[in-house]
Structure formats: C-alpha cells, structure tokens
Amino acid sequence: MKLRLGNTVVIGMAALSISVLWQAYNWLVPLYLDGYLRGLTGGNEFLIGVVMGLDNLFAVAMLPFVTALSDRHKRETGSRMKLIALGVTTAGAAFCCLPLVRYNLFLMLLTLAAVLTAMNLYRAPAAALMPDVTPPPLRGKANAVINIMGGAGTALGYVLLFGGGQAGVDSGFVVCAVAAVMFFCLAVLLFKTDETPPLHSALFPAPKEKKTAPAENKKGRFFVLAAVFFYFMAVNAVETFMSIYSVRVLGDSTAGLTLMAALAAGSFAFLYPSAALAQKVGAKNVMLCGACLMSVGGVACSLFPSPSASLPAFFVIGVGMAFMVANMYPLVLSFCGKDDFARYTGYYYAATMLAQTVTPALAGLLFSPWLLGSMRALMPYSSLFMILAAAALYFAPDDVQNSLSPRI
C-alpha cells in the first residue's frame, strides 16, 4: 500500500493557503490594534488579546454548523469543494481590505469578521479532504505531507512580511500577495483534486466511534484533545504577541520574524520524519518528546532573551512542534468512522479554537500593567502550557497511541 503523494500534495494546497494567511494575520493585526490603541489606555495587551481571541470564539460557534454542512454536502454531492471555493475567495478579498480600514476601528473589526467567517467556512472541509481519500494506515504520513505544505505556507508568509518593509505594516503588498497565493492554491485544488478514495481504502474500514469505541478510548480521546488544547494555548500566545515582543523585548521589529522563520524551518524539516517515527515508537511517545522539546526551548528563550541566543532555541521549538502537529489530528481521527470525518475534525478544531479564544486575552492580561507589565513573560507562559500538554499526554492510555495506524 502506497500513499498517493501527488494527490496529497494537491490537497495540501488548502493548508498552504490557510497558513500563509494566518501568519500575515497574526503579525499584522496586533500591530494595527496596538497602533490604534496607543495613548488611549494602559492595557493595550489585554484589549489586543481580547480582539484576537474573539475571532476564535466566533469560530467555535460556527464549527458545529460548518462540519455538519460539510459532511452532508459530501454525502449528497461527493465533494467539499464548493464550500472551500467560497471560503477562499471571500477570505482573500476581505483580507486585501485590511490596510484600507485599519484607522477606523469599527470598519477594521467588521473586515476581520468577514475574513474569519470565510476562513472558518472552509478550514474544516479542507482538513477533511485528507481522511476522505486516505486509508487509516496512511493518515499519519498523509498528515505529515499536509503539514509540510502548511509549513511552506508559514515560511512564505514570513517571506512576504519581510518583503513588505517595516514588517509589512506600511504596505498593502503583503495582503495582496497573500490573497494572490490563496487564489492560486484554490485554482490548483479545483482543477487537480481527486476526491475519489483509492480502491485499497475499502480494505481498512473505519467503524463509527459511537458503535465501537470502548470507555477507555473515550477517556483517551479526552486526554488527546486536552493536549491539543494546551498546545494551542502555548503556541497561539507566541503567534499573537511575537510582533509586539519583537519590538519591546528584542528591540527590532524584524528580529521576531527571524526567530519565527527559524521555528518554521525546524518544524518543516521534521514533519515527515516525525510521522514515520510515530509508526515505530507510537504517536504518544513522539508527541511527549515534542512537548518536552518545546518546553525546554521556551525556558532557554526566557533565560537568554536576545535574538542571537534565541535563534537555536526557536529551531528546537519548531522541531517539537513538528513532533506534535504531525500526529495530533490523525490521533483524533482514529476515533471516528468514514462518515464522520468533518465532525471529528470539528472536535479537533473546537479544542484549538477554544484555546485560541482564551490564551490571547489571558496572556494579554498577564503582560499588561495591571499584572506583570512586561512582555518578557511570553516564553515562560508558553513553556508552562507545554508542560501541561505533556502531562495530558502522559495520562492518555497507551492503547490510544497504537490506534493511529496498524503496522503494514
């Protein structure tokens, strides 16, 4: 049995389009908000965190509707592409408008709402394309390929931000370039995606969880989703505040981009090997190793908060991220059947979105003058939640890791 690599790469164009937008979004929007709020209040960090978290709360509210719509659309038409096409075109067009409205808070929030509604419309259907056409034993490797494509989108986002000048803040080049990349990805998806499962996938049927999952598997699902939640509590705080951390702590508006590029390089290099390693030693063990690497990297950055000293630490954090993200989604999918991919994708995204709703406001409150009053707490904050992620994985039953894929 072999992975259909070409088709998987094409499906991964959806992940590339999502990643390139999120990198630009997470870098630009906090800076836009900080510039608008400067002088109005002493709690900018908290207010920025609230705004950056509300979008994810909105996503949590949309997920049940979107996942049910996607699964029904798949059953009735055999395709999820209409939802994906609508989401990509709307998100790209709305994102282009952000620089035009950033001096009007109401219009900026309205535009952000349009971007995020469109992104949430197509994110879960796009993710569900992979399990639609990939049998369970190959989903770990397929997910690694998808994440490599997402990593390429992340790297491309940083390249575009560098090219925009002043970290992209003063130029519409970045948002227009991001939209162009998204439209190119959509074109490839529309013309090259094969949504027909391979014949050999019928040899590995996946029964519905509600009919077959024993109690210990349900318990395992809880711990895996808890680890996903804590992971995104850690990562999203860094993504949300890195642009401000770069200015206030590192003293250079582009130093943070260099560190995030090193993180992306570490993640990109180890995504596929981490999936292969999981087949040999178990996904739980690989993810535990990743959580520990990320914790150690965060502590190192806390002790040595300079661009040069933090560079290797961010690379290590990226390696740990690869160990985590290559295996989280396939592990969640191991609990579901072929008719419920989008629903279980919804569980996965609910955990990620809930974390990304809470962590910007919580971290912003912590960094504000009302509490610590310093952005230096960013990396210790991230390390703490990665330790919690490791603890959740530790308590996951060992048999859950082995359900990721049988030996072939």
Side-chain angles (χ1 to χ4, degrees), residues 85-404:
L86 178 61
V88 171
T89 53
T90 305
F95 192 62
C96 284
C97 298
L98 268 180
L100 303 176
V101 300
R102 65 188 176 108
Y103 297 110
N104 184 307
L105 185 60
F106 174 76
L107 290 179
M108 180 165 62
L109 294 178
L110 194 63
T111 304
L112 292 178
V115 172
L116 295 165
T117 299
M119 291 295 289
N120 291 320
L121 182 64
Y122 92 90
R123 182 159 45 180
L129 283 175
M130 183 275 285
D132 278 345
V133 300
T134 307
L138 299 177
R139 285 181 192 152
K141 291 182 177 179
N143 190 58
V145 173
I146 299 294
N147 278 285
I148 288 172
M149 296 297 291
T154 298
L156 182 56
Y158 294 136
V159 169
L160 295 177
L161 284 166
F162 273 118
Q166 298 297 314
V169 177
D170 297 324
S171 174
F173 164 79
V174 176
V175 294
C176 292
V178 165
V181 171
M182 294 177 69
F183 296 151
F184 172 78
C185 291
L186 176 60
V188 174
L189 282 166
L190 289 174
F191 291 104
K192 294 293 185 179
T193 299
D194 178 9
E195 294 191 63
T196 304
L199 181 62
H200 62 239
S201 66
L203 300 175
F204 296 91
K208 292 183 178 179
E209 181 272 338
K210 64 181 180 180
K211 293 182 179 180
T212 61
E216 61 268 23
N217 276 11
K218 294 180 180 180
K219 181 181 178 182
R221 179 180 64 193
F222 167 79
F223 281 114
V224 171
L225 289 173
V228 171
F229 173 82
F230 290 132
Y231 168 84
F232 279 95
M233 286 287 289
V235 171
N236 187 252
V238 175
E239 291 178 341
T240 299
F241 289 102
M242 180 52 70
S243 56
I244 299 174
Y245 178 90
S246 180
V247 173
R248 297 187 186 176
V249 178
L250 303 179
D252 184 346
S253 62
T254 59
L257 281 175
T258 303
L259 295 181
M260 295 300 283
L263 181 149
S267 179
F268 186 86
F270 283 84
L271 276 169
Y272 196 82
S274 68
L277 183 62
Q279 284 194 318
K280 296 182 180 297
V281 302
K284 174 183 172 180
N285 291 331
V286 174
M287 291 171 68
L288 272 171
C289 181
C292 291
L293 286 174
M294 294 180 68
S295 300
V296 170
V299 170
C301 292
S302 304
L303 296 175
F304 307 102
S306 68
S308 59
S310 297
L311 195 63
F314 266 76
F315 183 86
V316 170
I317 292 172
V319 175
M321 288 178 64
F323 285 4
M324 291 290 292
V325 301
N327 297 295
M328 287 191 297
Y329 181 50
L331 203 55
V332 173
L333 287 180
S334 69
F335 296 101
C336 73
K338 62 182 180 179
D339 292 334
D340 295 319
F341 289 144
R343 182 163 67 91
Y344 274 72
T345 297
Y347 293 157
Y348 172 81
Y349 278 125
T352 70
M353 292 295 103
L354 183 59
Q356 293 175 96
T357 299
V358 173
T359 200
L362 179 61
L365 179 62
L366 185 66
F367 306 151
S368 72
W370 304 329
L371 290 179
L372 296 180
S374 173
M375 290 298 301
R376 289 182 179 272
L378 176 61
M379 299 312 297
Y381 176 96
S382 179
S383 294
L384 172 63
F385 279 101
M386 285 314 304
I387 292 171
L388 293 175
L393 287 168
Y394 178 81
F395 287 107
D398 289 339
D399 62 329
V400 172
Q401 72 187 38
N402 295 326
S403 68
L404 176 63

